[in-house]
């Protein structure tokens, strides 16, 4: 009994902490909902039915949001739409208890999954710069840990920096905005022609599948409509030039992806907030694979990862605790290996400081 209570209390503490600390600043709705769950023994009993690794608030709240998007929780939907935290708190606990079996089943089956296209604003200039340095006029994009592969259409979106500079297709249905920080302008180089779009993921998301697409939406927070709008536009854009998605471990599938690239095309490998999921050993192995391939054929690797995550990318003294991410650019061509940090950025691409 004491053990059960201890477990319940720590789960309650985790939901309260998530609500007040993680959600608090950016999602008042999830702050109210998470704190209400923390205070409800009935709701916590439902959460406890999920496997231990799936009891995290991000998974359970996404599974709850999924029920809203399916139309199964109209009161919670109304509270979300009205941005009414008090009503959402009550409706969320009711929905969690009433729809317990479905919510636990979804949480058990799914991983939280995002594909943040705001990151294109930090990827585009680094990729364009990499292709320029190699002198390539055609590139094949290979996104490792690609989720739904939505960032593989980065050449077809419009990117507006707040200093007035723009990149990409100004008429795109996906319009991205990014603040520019620091003294340097972002290079205005246009991206070389993209002739192939290939993604690798352990669990690729097929946006043409209704359940998969809804789950991507469910993993967004309900009071962040700009992310929902971006996701809708990105899905539409991606469906016009669908990427080839390879399912499996990055290290195992990278040779397959590289083999799909015509010999006169520069492969540009991207990793965005993906390498953190690899062991250190696998991150080093990943780098070795790139190096081995580059002995035969030039390649570019662009990374946007937390500080000290992408191997060989210098951190310039930045701390992991700072919360920002680093943009790395590696050009590997025969014996020439040049790895540089070219920028700092917000993890979702809200701002970019070009440092190169
Ligand atoms: C946080 S998501 C980032 C998704 C996307 N790159 C973005 O920036 O929005 C991390 C992705 O890496 C994938 N992943 C993690 N480990 C992997 C591995 N060993 N091989 C392939 N994909 C992996 C996950 O399935 C997930 O889709």
């Amino acid at each position: 009994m004491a053990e059960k209570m201890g477990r319940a209390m720590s789960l309650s503490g985790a939901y309260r902490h998530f609500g007040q600390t993680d959600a608090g600043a950016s999602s008042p709705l999830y702050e109210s909902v998470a704190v209400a769950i923390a205070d409800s023994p009935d709701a916590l009993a439902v959460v406890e039915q999920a496997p231990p690794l799936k009891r995290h608030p991000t998974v359970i709240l996404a599974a709850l949001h999924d029920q809203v998007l399916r139309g199964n929780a109209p009161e919670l939907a109304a509270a979300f739409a009205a941005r009414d935290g008090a009503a959402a708190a009550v409706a969320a606990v009711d929905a969690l208890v009433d729809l317990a079996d479905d919510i636990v089943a979804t949480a058990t089956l799914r991983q939280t999954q995002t594909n943040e296209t705001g990151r294109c604003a930090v990827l585009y200039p680094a990729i364009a710069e990499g292709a320029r340095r190699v002198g390539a006029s055609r590139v094949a994009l290979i996104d490792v840990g690609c989720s739904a592969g939505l960032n593989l259409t980065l050449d077809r979106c419009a990117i507006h920096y707040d200093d007035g500079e723009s990149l990409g297709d100004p008429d795109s249905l996906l319009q991205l905005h990014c603040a520019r920080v620091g003294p340097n302008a972002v290079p205005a180089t246009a991206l070389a022609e993209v002739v192939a779009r290939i993604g690798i993921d352990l669990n690729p998301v097929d946006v043409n599948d209704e359940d998969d697409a809804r789950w991507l939406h469910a993993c967004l927070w309900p009071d962040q409509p700009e992310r929902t709008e971006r996701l809708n536009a990105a899905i539409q854009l991606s469906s016009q030039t669908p990427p080839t998605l390879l399912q499996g471990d990055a290290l195992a599938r990278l040779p397959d992806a590289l083999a799909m690239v015509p010999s006169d095309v520069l492969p540009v490998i991207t990793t965005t907030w993906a390498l953190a999921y690899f062991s250190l050993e696998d991150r080093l192995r990943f780098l070795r694979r790139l190096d081995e391939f580059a002995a035969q054929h030039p390649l570019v690797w662009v990374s946007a990862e937390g500080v000290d995550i992408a191997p060989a990318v210098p951190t310039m003294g930045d701390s992991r605790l700072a919360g920002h991410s680093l943009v790395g650019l590696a050009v590997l061509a025969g014996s020439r290996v040049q790895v540089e940090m070219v920028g700092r950025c917000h993890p979702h691409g809200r701002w970019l400081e070009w440092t190169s």
Side-chain angles (χ1 to χ4, degrees), residues 3-189:
E3 190 197 334
K4 199 173 165 195
M5 279 202 36
R7 273 210 321 270
M9 279 171 68
S10 75
L11 196 57
S12 171
Y15 273 74
R16 189 176 311 286
H17 181 268
F18 174 83
Q20 293 174 343
T21 308
D22 299 333
S26 47
S27 176
L29 281 174
Y30 268 6
E31 178 177 7
S32 303
V33 167
V35 171
I37 293 172
D39 287 339
S40 164
D42 290 344
L44 291 172
V46 175
V47 177
E48 281 217 306
Q49 291 171 34
L53 287 176
K54 301 301 188 74
R55 293 176 193 165
H56 192 273
T58 51
V59 185
I60 296 294
L61 294 181
L64 192 57
H65 194 193
D66 188 62
Q67 290 297 322
V68 169
L69 299 175
R70 284 173 190 262
N72 294 342
E75 284 170 13
L76 184 55
F80 279 172
R83 304 281 182 95
D84 182 338
V90 174
V93 169
D94 289 348
L96 196 52
V97 172
D98 292 347
L99 303 167
D101 289 350
D102 290 337
I103 289 170
V104 169
T106 302
T108 305
L109 178 73
R110 298 275 185 183
Q111 339 282 333
T112 47
Q113 185 67 277
T114 52
N115 200 177
E116 182 45 68
T117 48
R119 294 169 178 166
C120 293
V122 305
L123 283 177
Y124 185 115
I127 294 175
E129 176 62 14
R132 188 193 66 77
R133 288 185 189 179
V134 176
S137 58
R138 301 196 307 153
V139 297
L141 301 178
I142 301 176
D143 192 18
V144 170
C146 67
S147 184
L150 298 178
N151 291 346
L152 288 161
T153 40
L154 83 173
D155 55 317
R156 303 190 56 241
C157 59
I159 301 163
H160 306 284
Y161 300 97
D162 66 354
D163 60 359
E165 186 183 340
S166 291
L167 292 172
D169 172 6
D171 300 323
S172 176
L173 54 91
L174 179 56
Q175 298 282 323
L176 301 173
H177 297 271
C178 177
R180 189 181 65 72
V181 173
N184 298 337
V186 173
T189 314

Side-chain angles (χ1 to χ4, degrees), residues 125-275:
I127 294 175
E129 176 62 14
R132 188 193 66 77
R133 288 185 189 179
V134 176
S137 58
R138 301 196 307 153
V139 297
L141 301 178
I142 301 176
D143 192 18
V144 170
C146 67
S147 184
L150 298 178
N151 291 346
L152 288 161
T153 40
L154 83 173
D155 55 317
R156 303 190 56 241
C157 59
I159 301 163
H160 306 284
Y161 300 97
D162 66 354
D163 60 359
E165 186 183 340
S166 291
L167 292 172
D169 172 6
D171 300 323
S172 176
L173 54 91
L174 179 56
Q175 298 282 323
L176 301 173
H177 297 271
C178 177
R180 189 181 65 72
V181 173
N184 298 337
V186 173
T189 314
L191 193 60
E193 184 192 357
V194 176
V195 299
R197 305 166 199 274
I198 305 161
I200 305 173
D201 203 284
L202 278 179
N203 303 296
V205 178
D206 176 4
V207 291
N208 298 309
D209 178 274
E210 199 186 321
D211 287 348
D212 275 12
R214 193 184 53 248
W215 181 245
L216 265 188
H217 277 290
C219 290
L220 299 181
W221 296 4
D223 40 11
Q224 298 178 337
E226 68 292 346
R227 292 186 75 190
T228 300
E229 276 166 33
R230 266 208 311 268
L231 180 57
N232 279 328
I235 289 175
Q236 227 179 307
L237 199 60
S238 177
S239 66
Q240 293 168 5
T241 43
T244 303
L245 298 183
L246 304 180
Q247 196 266 320
D249 180 73
L251 290 167
R253 300 306 311 261
L254 190 58
D256 301 329
L258 287 165
M260 295 166 88
V261 179
S263 60
D264 57 344
V265 171
L266 174 72
V268 177
I269 289 141
T270 50
T271 57
T272 61
W273 291 270
L275 291 179

